[in-house]
Amino acid sequence: KQAKLIVDKDFVVGEVDKRIYGSFIEHLGRAVYGGIYEKDHPQADEQGFRSDVLELVKGLDVPIVRYPGGNFVSGYNWEDGVGPLDQRPRRLELAWRTIEPNWIGFNEFMDWCRKANTDAMMAVNLGTRGPDEARNLLEYSNHPSGTYWSDLRVQHGYKDPHNVKTWCLGNEMDGPWQIGAKTAVEYGRIASETAKVMRWVDPTIELVACGSSAIGMPTFPDWEATVLDLAYNDVDYISLHQYYGNREKDTANFLAQSVGMDSFINTVISTADFVQAKKRSKKKINLSFDEWNVWFHSNESDKKLDPWQIAPPQLEDIYTQEDALVVGCMLISLLKRADRVKMACIAQLVNVIAPIMTTNGGAAWKQTIYYPYMHASVFGRGEVLVPLVSSPKHDTKDFTDVPYVEAVAVHNEEKQEVTVFAVNRHLEESISFDIDLRSFGQGRILEHIVLENDDLSASNTGDAPNRVTPHTNGSAALSDKGQIQAVLNKASWNVIRIK
Ligand code: AHR
């Protein structure tokens, strides 16, 4: 079987906004307690942050981290998490039925972000609360001093404002599971009013409105059309969330799911542009795909957990080689629409459906999905080139004409490098892959990284953290005609770096 990618220096989809390699930390399970923070851990720093976890996070070069939720934010009082530790309340946390001790809150999270070389993407509670608490939090965060909330921050030991630029107006407000879920009209109005007062506090911020919780929501895409109709001028981005799983043990169909992600992205763009046309507006709304990943392995064990524990092991998916391929395809989907997808967050970062796992008091290690995410984040900066891909195709249960090969190329002008990301979805056969770089002329292969495993269910665990790791023995080489030829092994993720 044969596939081909043609790209040209002059045909550009768009500049990669580095924030598409964002991630997410929610007060959920062991993401915070036992994940980024564990004060009695041998590798905890002076604030109780795990330095082993910080090192793994830095390896991903994560530009932005969404916080504090997720479903959690819709019942959260941010004031509970600031000020003297001994005065912070313990609360029943209704989204995940746990106890929230509030050992970590906004200021500590900002400290962690500085240590992790990342920025925060804050979410405000539009479930049980509204514009008042949102504007107070923003004043506490970004106003220099001389007002009630900014002076309280100074009193809490943070003289300089945190200057958080990106704010999400609630979370998944269309979902019946959400605390304080709303209709599109209810949400569109509250999002608009909250945005208005937040911008009055700090006009430099960027705001994300909640889109649908998934493409399968019954209100999709009317939700987007209504919300944007009511809040178009007040917001900058509309969010998308999507998780995939292989519950039916149909791997071909599972690996094809990113085709659905492509159409989700394209439909949200069309819907936003429809509202733009209706409003005769010059402004474009861009996309924030601020929750995406594979999530299904832990569903059954989560049902058996007792409620009202502090930081129980929730949503602890152990990822396989197969999942890493889906994550690779999802990254390619985001890159293909770099013109409109300006932010995205793999959900989440540590322990909770995460590329990084830990044991309490013990080790931290990389899950299989760490690798495609790291490769894209580290090598996928620059301009995405229009990908002309020809590939043999197949049908799966939910999709027709699914290309076996997904591929995209990113040109980094500064480093004079082109990086091709490619997945071969074929479960039995390798595929010959030609890359025609047209106006780039002849290149030199820097490396061809491959993530593959004969066992698609292979995963990394605390005992065997390196069962699934990439190698650099990929076959990419220059052909006589100056093109690049590679073999994409069956069920593999490939990174071909060319100078
Ligand atoms: O990331 C886990 C959960 O998934 C988030 O809390 C919620 O927003 C989504 O449903």
Side-chain angles (χ1 to χ4, degrees):
K1 286 203 165 52
Q2 183 87 33
K4 185 167 185 171
L5 169 69
I6 305 174
V7 287
D8 193 294
K9 199 188 262 179
D10 293 323
F11 297 122
V12 174
V13 175
E15 180 79 25
V16 175
D17 187 320
K18 67 175 182 180
R19 296 173 303 171
I20 67 166
Y21 304 121
S23 190
F24 180 23
I25 287 284
E26 175 167 4
H27 281 250
L28 157 57
R30 298 189 308 119
V32 174
Y33 309 116
I36 62 169
Y37 170 88
E38 196 181 337
K39 90 174 172 352
D40 298 325
H41 191 275
Q43 295 192 55
D45 69 9
E46 68 297 343
Q47 281 186 285
F49 293 126
R50 284 184 62 155
S51 56
D52 53 346
V53 172
L54 271 170
E55 282 318 300
L56 292 176
V57 171
K58 284 188 203 157
L60 292 165
D61 201 356
V62 186
I64 196 161
V65 180
R66 187 163 170 253
Y67 176 85
N71 297 339
F72 169 82
V73 79
S74 298
Y76 182 51
N77 299 339
W78 68 269
E79 305 88 331
D80 291 350
V82 296
L85 256 182
D86 57 0
Q87 289 167 31
R88 295 189 192 178
R90 276 173 172 235
R91 299 257 189 213
L92 282 188
E93 200 293 284
L94 299 185
W96 302 103
R97 296 174 61 76
T98 59
I99 288 184
E100 173 53 55
N102 286 303
W103 296 323
I104 293 288
F106 176 53
N107 290 315
E108 291 86 14
F109 181 70
M110 294 309 301
D111 288 337
W112 181 84
C113 283
R114 278 175 214 110
K115 291 178 179 179
N117 299 331
T118 194
D119 288 330
M121 177 197 230
M122 286 298 297
V124 298
N125 174 357
L126 293 188
T128 57
R129 308 186 99 191
D132 195 33
E133 295 82 4
R135 63 149 181 168
N136 294 347
L137 172 57
L138 183 59
E139 182 182 319
Y140 182 93
S141 168
N142 287 13
H143 196 73
S145 64
T147 63
Y148 177 80
W149 292 106
S150 58
D151 284 346
L152 191 62
R153 183 198 69 241
V154 176
Q155 194 188 314
H156 289 161
Y158 294 82
K159 185 172 166 293
D160 295 327
H162 293 302
N163 279 327
V164 176
K165 286 285 162 249
T166 313
W167 294 80
C168 302
L169 297 163
N171 177 72
E172 295 190 348
M173 301 306 303
D174 62 331
W177 59 86
Q178 200 67 212
I179 303 171
K182 300 194 169 20
T183 65
V185 172
E186 287 166 348
Y187 174 67
R189 285 294 303 131
I190 197 94
S192 163
E193 290 302 318
T194 306
K196 186 173 85 184
V197 293
M198 288 180 78
R199 282 200 206 278
W200 285 344
V201 173
D202 181 351
T204 69
I205 57 172
E206 291 200 305
L207 292 164
V208 185
C210 290
S212 297
S213 300
I215 194 172
M217 294 300 286
T219 47
F220 175 78
D222 285 334
W223 173 274
E224 281 73 2
T226 305
V227 167
L228 287 178
D229 205 24
L230 292 167
Y232 200 87
N233 293 329
D234 307 305
V235 303
D236 306 289
Y237 305 90
I238 183 92
S239 76
L240 298 84
H241 290 182
Q242 189 69 53
Y243 296 98
Y244 295 122
N246 189 6
R247 293 182 184 83
E248 294 165 359
K249 299 199 182 347
D250 178 346
T251 297
N253 196 47
F254 180 45
L255 294 185
Q257 294 299 316
S258 67
V259 173
M261 183 166 176
D262 293 335
S263 67
F264 190 14
I265 292 172
N266 291 334
T267 308
V268 174
I269 292 171
S270 306
T271 310
D273 292 352
F274 162 77
V275 181
Q276 179 190 13
K278 209 174 138 187
K279 293 192 175 291
R280 277 80 172 136
S281 171
K282 282 189 179 160
K283 175 179 170 183
K284 279 238 177 286
I285 296 287
N286 283 320
L287 275 53
S288 172
F289 211 125
D290 46 44
E291 284 188 37
W292 67 270
N293 202 349
V294 170
W295 172 16
F296 74 108
H297 296 285
S298 56
N299 292 167
E300 289 309 310
S301 58
D302 281 348
K303 288 182 194 151
K304 297 181 195 129
L305 284 170
D306 290 331
W308 317 132
Q309 304 179 58
I310 295 177
Q314 290 169 307
L315 281 65
E316 298 205 355
D317 275 35
I318 302 303
Y319 290 115
T320 62
Q321 164 70 17
E322 175 178 298
D323 300 328
L325 298 178
V326 173
V327 162
C329 288
M330 293 178 91
L331 286 158
I332 292 173
S333 293
L334 296 171
L335 283 166
K336 285 194 293 192
R337 288 314 308 253
D339 54 329
R340 296 299 291 276
V341 181
K342 298 294 173 187
M343 295 190 279
C345 303
I346 190 171
Q348 300 190 6
L349 188 54
V350 188
N351 288 332
V352 171
I353 42 173
I356 299 169
M357 282 304 290
T358 72
T359 48
N360 290 348
W365 66 96
K366 299 169 183 170
Q367 294 234 53
T368 59
I369 62 168
Y370 184 98
Y371 295 104
Y373 175 37
M374 173 187 73
H375 293 147
S377 177
V378 171
F379 300 123
R381 311 258 173 142
E383 283 178 337
V384 177
L385 303 171
V386 175
L388 290 178
V389 182
S390 58
S391 162
K393 296 185 169 143
H394 67 307
D395 294 344
T396 71
K397 184 174 141 280
D398 296 330
F399 301 97
T400 42
D401 284 338
V402 178
Y404 280 113
V405 171
E406 287 286 358
V408 73
V410 179
H411 176 211
N412 187 320
E413 190 150 28
E414 207 182 307
K415 293 191 174 153
Q416 298 197 331
E417 281 179 31
V418 174
T419 302
V420 174
F421 301 103
V423 170
N424 176 4
R425 291 188 170 105
H426 204 299
L427 297 175
E428 273 103 42
E429 291 178 38
S430 55
I431 295 181
S432 311
F433 185 51
D434 288 351
I435 306 171
D436 183 341
L437 289 178
R438 300 278 157 129
S439 58
F440 283 102
Q442 208 166 27
R444 178 167 62 88
I445 314 277
L446 293 176
E447 59 181 348
H448 177 177
I449 307 168
V450 186
L451 186 70
E452 59 186 340
N453 201 289
D454 283 340
D455 177 4
L456 284 184
S457 66
S459 57
N460 296 334
T461 57
D463 296 333
N466 296 316
R467 199 178 285 135
V468 183
T469 54
H471 65 78
T472 50
N473 299 327
S475 61
L478 279 183
S479 75
D480 317 337
K481 290 179 254 152
Q483 295 194 346
I484 289 156
Q485 284 185 331
V487 172
L488 304 180
N489 292 343
K490 66 175 183 181
S492 64
W493 159 257
N494 299 263
V495 184
I496 302 171
R497 298 180 53 222
I498 305 143
K499 187 120 184 138

